Amino acid sequence: MKFYEFFFSRWDFIEVGGVIMKDMDRMLAFETALKTWAAWVEANIDPSKSLVFFQGISPSHYNSSLWNDPKAKGCLGQEQPLLGSSYPGGVPQALGVLKRVLSTVRKKVKLLDITVLSLLRKDGHPSVYGFGGSTGLDCSHWCLAGVPDTWNEILFNLIF
């Protein structure tokens, strides 16, 4: 198996409602998983004893045309975050799916919405120093210290 086949192959088989499939639409799979999680929250969480947080979508930065730099090779060599408070390429479709499902949960779930601030940090990935080394480009994981520390600071402030 080549590196890119491993990296982009998320599963071998999926079972939904007793039906086993080789593949399915990623957004439908995500929505199905979120609905399963939401049903668990509804059945098992006592809001008088627990706070429930859901971390938003952690984006990748493989497609540099989304930040108007089509000549760049993804996150490779990115040393500065994007300026401003909005991402030129828009938010991932998965964020809409997440917000739609969370809006149906009757028990309080606080969205730790890290998506836009993370989209702006095209410079925060390991690049060729991450998974795969010089044979691959890692624009989906995050360097530490870095962006995940910001997520933790936000969570800390929401709790306290």
Side-chain angles (χ1 to χ4, degrees):
M1 178 180 281
K2 293 184 170 118
F3 169 76
Y4 64 87
E5 290 171 338
F6 168 78
F7 191 73
F8 290 105
S9 176
R10 302 290 189 227
W11 48 66
D12 290 324
F13 294 96
I14 306 154
E15 182 178 348
V16 178
V19 177
I20 297 175
M21 299 172 271
K22 177 66 177 155
D23 202 0
M24 73 184 294
D25 176 81
R26 300 301 195 266
M27 285 303 112
L28 179 58
F30 184 56
E31 183 174 15
T32 301
L34 286 173
K35 287 179 177 178
T36 300
W37 173 83
W40 182 90
V41 168
E42 294 285 7
N44 294 288
I45 296 299
D46 179 352
S48 69
K49 296 179 180 179
S50 301
L51 297 173
V52 179
F53 295 91
F54 195 100
Q55 179 177 293
I57 308 302
S58 173
S60 64
H61 289 95
Y62 288 101
N63 184 354
S64 59
S65 66
L66 292 176
W67 65 83
N68 301 323
D69 190 4
K71 292 181 182 177
K73 289 183 167 71
C75 64
L76 181 63
Q78 298 298 316
E79 297 177 353
Q80 295 292 319
L82 290 166
L83 299 176
S85 59
S86 63
Y87 186 67
V91 296
Q93 180 184 2
L95 185 59
V97 172
L98 173 59
K99 287 181 176 182
R100 187 171 61 250
V101 172
L102 289 181
S103 74
T104 68
V105 180
R106 292 183 307 274
K107 296 195 176 163
K108 185 174 170 95
V109 175
K110 180 69 176 169
L111 174 61
L112 180 60
D113 195 349
I114 51 93
T115 306
V116 174
L117 73 89
S118 303
L119 279 167
L120 298 174
R121 290 301 308 273
K122 62 183 173 56
D123 61 315
H125 299 284
S127 180
V128 294
Y129 305 104
F131 184 68
S134 61
T135 64
L137 188 60
D138 186 349
C139 298
S140 62
H141 295 93
W142 298 95
C143 292
L144 296 175
V147 176
D149 296 305
T150 303
W151 305 341
N152 290 336
E153 289 289 330
I154 294 169
L155 177 61
F156 179 83
N157 282 289
L158 287 172
I159 293 172
F160 298 104

